[in-house]
């Protein structure tokens, strides 16, 4: 929920703070006071396009901040986490957008600088702004299909998910088949080169790390005499002369003499050194034995050296062509085998792919047919519900029809799919085109909404759709800007009632110029305009009960200073209160 909004330097608003609550909040004000700047600020918070012309004259930049509370949606929470946004102590998150006078824009979320697109992603989960642009979007076929799918819920969502899964696989297989056929000669040449390389490697049969191991063996065999001299001298220094030459006693002999002397000493301190020398003697004895064993392995073997050098030459041929070392050569071979598996251009492989494509096409056609059937069933119910809402919006003779038609395709189309004997275009959302038609009266032809409805009627159709879709809308905050344009009288009262009904399940914020709509709000904000030193400034304030009567009277053709105007305003408020009380009572009866 949007709990608070602050605006600074935007349009005629110098600085304003809006405290918002659950339920129905209305924003009113005289023409030119700047109430549309509230919606402009929400568009900026939603990641909308910035416009330097909206920055207040004399201000360095415009700033809009919004504080969101009770964020529970999994997708919204993931967006916040990915952005590194930090929540306040009460769990709320502040989103901010600034636009400088030179047009540069900055966005912040939870105290972190983020791309503007992140605000757009988050706002899609938290709030929806409906205005003239929303009505224009409603005219697009894709948006009308989305309306139907939202209304249908799982009845369409499940077959649509299954359809998209199979379609993705079908397109991948079809694309691979097309590519293999088009590149068969090129792929065949590449395959020959890969097979030749693999044949060379397999003939040598290198082992992992073999080149490094052979290098070490060559070093030892080539320097066997030098290694023998070194090891022999070391062993002589440790063990002494094998003939027992007293001039070459070795370290072990010297240690034995030292132990004998210390062990027979009368001083206890000297005797304590003997055990430590004993440990050293054991260690030197082990080293001496290992050196003797090493010397036993140093026999000169010219034939072994020659064989190893020949093997090295074989391995170097591979490392010159395929990688820097043998481990790299083996990795190249693994990759080559994997590539060959996907480059099979034989007739058998192509036939197998084509068969797989056809099987998937059959499955996709079944999913497409189920999806279309689910949409047609939902379309009938949606049309009935919207028509019922329109009857209460002074469009009693009007009727909505929701048509679901299959989208024909050329056989050469890459997404052409045969469904129940017809060649249709299998798009990402199915094979259907959905269109909302409006029949102005029983004898009138059913025409596309934008052709059959006036501006005011289109607003009412939009509101009727929102009321019908309220149960399927996961966005908690709904904003309506001039949704009552071109409407008056009884229709305006009915719009107010429906907005109040919508506010039972959503937070609803409405910018309006109609007192009949404003009377049904739970909270009333007004945008005041004033002039000082030749500069126009606007601010936003919350009205108390008496001020609200005055504002509604002003909206009634400027009758704020007359008893008649105030009486009419009070009558509107009483009617709205009675409607709210009856709605609450009806809800209680339903629960019982």
């Amino acid at each position: 929920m949007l709990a608070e909004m602050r605006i600074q330097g935007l349009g005629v608003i110098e600085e304003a703070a809006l405290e918002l609550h659950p339920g129905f909040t209305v924003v009113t004000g005289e023409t030119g006071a700047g109430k549309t700047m509230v919606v402009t600020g929400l568009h900026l918070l939603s990641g909308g396009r910035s416009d330097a012309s909206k920055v207040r004259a004399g201000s360095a930049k415009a700033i809009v901040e919004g504080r969101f509370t009770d964020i529970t949606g999994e997708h919204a929470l993931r967006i916040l986490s990915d952005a590194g946004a930090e929540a306040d102590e009460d769990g709320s998150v502040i989103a901010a957008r600034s636009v400088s006078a030179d047009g540069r824009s900055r966005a912040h979320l939870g105290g972190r600088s983020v791309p503007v697109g992140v605000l757009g992603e988050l706002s899609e989960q938290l709030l929806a702004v409906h205005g003239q642009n929303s009505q224009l979007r409603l005219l697009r076929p894709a948006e009308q299909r989305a309306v139907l799918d939202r209304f249908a819920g799982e009845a369409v969502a499940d077959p649509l998910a299954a359809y998209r899964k199979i379609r993705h696989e079908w397109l991948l297989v079809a694309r691979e088949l097309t590519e293999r056929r088009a590149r068969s000669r090129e792929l065949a040449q590449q395959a020959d080169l890969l097979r030749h390389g693999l044949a060379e490697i397999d003939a040598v049969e290198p082992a992992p790390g073999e080149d490094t191991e052979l290098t070490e063996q060559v070093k030892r065999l080539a320097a066997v005499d030098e290694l023998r001299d070194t090891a022999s001298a070391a062993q002589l220094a440790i063990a002494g002369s094998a003939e027992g030459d007293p001039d070459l006693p070795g370290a072990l002999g010297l240690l034995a003499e030292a132990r004998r002397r210390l062990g027979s000493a009368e001083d206890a301190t000297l005797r304590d050194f003997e055990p430590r020398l004993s440990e050293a003697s054991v260690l030197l004895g082990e080293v001496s034995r290992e050196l003797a064993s090493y010397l036993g392995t140093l026999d000169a073997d010219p034939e072994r050296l020659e064989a190893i050098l020949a093997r090295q030459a074989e391995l170097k041929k591979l490392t010159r062509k395929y990688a820097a070392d043998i481990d790299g050569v083996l990795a190249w071979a693994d990759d080559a085998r994997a590539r060959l598996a996907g480059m099979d251009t034989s007739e058998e492989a192509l036939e197998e792919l084509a068969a797989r494509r056809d099987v998937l096409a059959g499955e996709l056609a079944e999913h497409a047919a189920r999806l279309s059937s689910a949409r047609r069933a939902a379309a009938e119910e949606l049309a009935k519900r919207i028509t019922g809402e329109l009857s209460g919006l002074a469009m009693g003779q009007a009727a909505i029809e929701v048509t679901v038609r299959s989208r024909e395709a050329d056989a050469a189309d890459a997404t052409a799919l045969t469904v129940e004997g017809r060649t249709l275009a299998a798009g990402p959302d199915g094979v259907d085109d959905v269109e909302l038609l409006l029949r102005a009266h029983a004898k009138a032809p059913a025409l596309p909404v934008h052709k059959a409805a006036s501006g005011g009627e289109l607003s009412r159709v939009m509101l009727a759709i929102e009321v019908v879709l309220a149960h399927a809308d996961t966005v908690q905050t709904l904003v309506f800007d001039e949704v009552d344009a071109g409407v008056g009288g009884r229709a305006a009262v009915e719009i107010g009632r429906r907005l109040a009904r919508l506010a039972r399940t959503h937070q609803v914020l409405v910018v309006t110029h109609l007192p009949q709509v404003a009377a049904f709000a739970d909270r009333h904000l007004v945008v005041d305009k004033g002039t000082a030193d030749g500069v126009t400034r606007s601010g936003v304030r919350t009205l108390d009960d008496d001020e609200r009567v005055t504002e509604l009277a002003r909206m009634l053709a400027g009758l704020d200073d007359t008893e008649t105007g105030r009486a009419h305003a009070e009558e509107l408020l009483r009617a709205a209160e009675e409607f709210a009380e009856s709605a609450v009572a009806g809800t209680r009866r339903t629960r019982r």
Side-chain angles (χ1 to χ4, degrees):
M1 186 188 79
L2 181 61
E4 186 179 3
M5 182 178 173
R6 292 183 178 276
I7 301 173
Q8 182 178 344
L10 185 65
V12 295
I13 297 180
E14 185 175 27
E15 188 165 357
L18 290 74
E19 291 187 6
L20 305 172
H21 295 266
F24 184 4
T25 300
V26 69
V27 179
T28 64
E30 294 184 6
T31 301
K35 57 183 180 293
T36 57
M37 287 300 103
V38 174
V39 178
T40 300
L42 287 169
H43 275 297
L44 289 174
L45 277 183
S46 301
R49 185 175 179 179
S50 61
D51 187 351
S53 65
K54 299 295 184 182
V55 179
R56 178 179 171 80
S59 297
K61 59 184 176 181
I63 300 174
V64 182
E65 293 182 351
R67 183 166 61 86
F68 293 93
T69 60
D70 302 323
I71 301 175
T72 58
E74 181 180 345
H75 192 184
L77 292 174
R78 184 166 61 252
I79 292 171
L80 293 172
S81 176
D82 292 345
E86 297 180 358
D88 286 349
E89 293 180 357
D90 59 358
S92 64
V93 176
I94 296 178
R97 181 85 180 277
S98 64
V99 181
S100 61
D102 60 6
R104 288 182 296 179
S105 173
R106 297 286 184 272
H108 291 81
L109 184 60
R112 298 295 183 91
S113 179
V114 297
V116 173
V118 173
L119 292 186
E121 292 176 14
L122 182 64
S123 69
E124 287 180 0
Q125 309 300 315
L126 303 182
L127 62 86
V129 181
H130 299 290
Q132 185 177 6
N133 290 334
S134 299
Q135 295 172 18
L136 293 176
R137 285 198 302 272
L138 183 61
L139 307 183
R140 303 172 188 165
E143 186 68 18
Q144 295 184 11
R145 182 173 56 238
V147 165
L148 175 60
D149 290 354
R150 282 171 57 200
F151 172 77
E154 292 183 0
V156 163
D158 291 343
L160 178 57
Y163 167 88
R164 285 173 172 167
K165 179 178 180 296
I166 297 298
R167 178 180 180 271
H168 175 72
E169 189 175 352
W170 172 65
L171 289 177
L172 286 178
V173 172
R175 190 178 300 118
E176 183 178 355
L177 178 61
T178 301
E179 182 178 336
R180 285 197 190 185
R181 284 173 172 169
R183 299 180 56 208
S184 59
R185 179 176 300 177
E186 178 186 349
L187 291 175
Q189 292 173 349
Q190 292 180 11
D192 285 342
L193 291 174
L194 292 175
R195 291 192 191 95
H196 177 74
L198 286 172
E200 282 190 320
I201 295 171
D202 292 341
V204 176
E205 295 184 348
E210 184 180 0
D211 50 346
T212 303
E213 183 181 345
L214 291 180
T215 299
E216 293 299 321
Q217 291 185 29
V218 168
K219 287 180 180 179
R220 289 181 60 186
L221 289 171
V224 65
D225 293 334
E226 181 181 348
L227 295 174
R228 182 182 292 110
D229 290 344
T230 301
S232 297
Q235 189 185 35
L236 180 63
I238 294 173
S241 171
E243 290 77 17
D245 188 344
D247 294 331
L248 297 171
L252 286 172
L254 295 175
L255 276 175
E257 177 63 18
R259 289 176 60 201
R260 184 183 64 78
R261 291 179 179 275
L262 292 173
S264 61
E266 295 182 1
D267 184 20
T269 301
L270 288 177
R271 287 197 302 272
D272 288 342
F273 286 112
E274 191 277 333
R276 294 166 63 185
L277 290 179
S278 177
E279 294 176 3
S281 179
V282 172
L283 178 61
L284 283 175
E286 291 177 356
V287 174
S288 177
R289 288 190 293 273
E290 290 177 8
L291 283 173
S293 176
Y294 176 80
L295 284 167
T297 66
L298 288 179
D299 295 336
D301 190 350
E303 292 182 0
R304 174 62 179 159
L305 177 59
E306 184 177 352
I308 292 176
L309 292 175
R311 180 62 176 173
Q312 271 191 324
E314 289 182 332
L315 298 181
K316 285 181 179 178
K317 288 181 180 179
L318 299 181
T319 55
R320 279 196 298 266
K321 294 179 66 174
Y322 302 107
D325 53 29
I326 289 301
D327 287 347
V329 170
L330 293 173
W332 182 93
D334 290 340
D335 180 65
R337 291 188 183 93
R339 292 171 61 190
L340 274 175
M343 294 171 64
D344 189 352
T345 57
S346 65
E347 286 300 322
E348 294 80 4
L350 294 178
E351 288 175 3
E352 185 178 342
L353 265 181
R356 177 60 180 159
R357 177 203 58 191
D358 294 342
V359 169
L360 289 171
E363 294 181 14
L364 185 61
E366 292 177 2
H367 286 297
R370 281 197 289 270
L371 177 58
S372 298
S373 177
R375 279 179 172 148
R376 283 191 289 270
E380 185 176 349
E381 182 63 22
L382 176 61
K384 180 177 169 185
R385 296 272 192 92
I386 297 176
T387 298
E389 288 296 327
L390 290 178
S391 66
L393 291 171
M395 293 178 68
Q397 295 184 350
I400 285 287
E401 294 181 10
V402 182
T403 63
V404 180
R405 296 189 180 92
S406 299
R407 188 168 52 254
E408 301 288 341
D410 191 313
D413 190 338
T415 62
L417 180 71
T418 301
V419 182
E420 298 178 342
R422 299 173 61 191
T423 303
L424 306 178
D429 298 303
V431 296
D432 308 312
D433 280 331
V434 176
E435 188 172 24
L436 270 66
L437 304 177
L438 176 65
R439 193 185 298 275
H441 52 82
K443 295 183 179 180
L447 298 174
V449 171
H450 66 284
K451 292 183 179 179
S454 64
E457 289 173 335
L458 190 58
S459 296
R460 280 176 272 177
V461 171
M462 182 73 194
L463 178 58
I465 290 173
E466 284 300 333
V467 172
V468 170
L469 293 181
H471 74 284
D473 205 332
T474 57
V475 174
Q476 283 302 305
T477 301
L478 301 177
V479 182
F480 293 93
D481 179 24
E482 304 288 358
V483 72
D484 49 18
V487 179
R490 181 179 176 184
V493 173
E494 292 299 332
I495 287 178
R497 288 177 176 173
R498 274 152 180 78
L499 288 169
R501 188 191 308 166
L502 196 58
R504 296 176 200 165
T505 55
H506 294 71
Q507 180 189 34
V508 177
L509 177 62
V510 178
V511 177
T512 184
H513 65 281
L514 292 180
Q516 296 95 326
V517 172
F520 285 88
D522 301 313
R523 289 175 63 83
H524 194 146
L525 307 181
V526 67
V527 181
D528 286 328
K529 180 174 67 173
T531 303
D533 299 327
V535 179
T536 301
R537 294 181 172 85
S538 292
V540 181
R541 59 189 177 91
T542 302
L543 301 182
D544 59 26
D545 292 342
D546 187 60
E547 290 173 325
R548 191 173 182 190
V549 171
T550 302
E551 174 63 8
L552 290 177
R554 180 200 65 76
M555 297 171 72
L556 289 164
L559 300 175
D560 54 313
D561 57 350
T562 67
E563 289 299 324
T564 301
R566 293 183 63 85
H568 194 178
E570 290 171 349
E571 183 180 353
L572 276 176
L573 287 172
R574 279 196 301 272
E577 290 171 358
E578 290 173 1
F579 173 78
E581 291 172 358
S582 64
V584 170
T587 301
R588 289 174 179 168
R589 285 195 298 271
T590 301
R591 288 177 178 173
R592 289 173 187 169

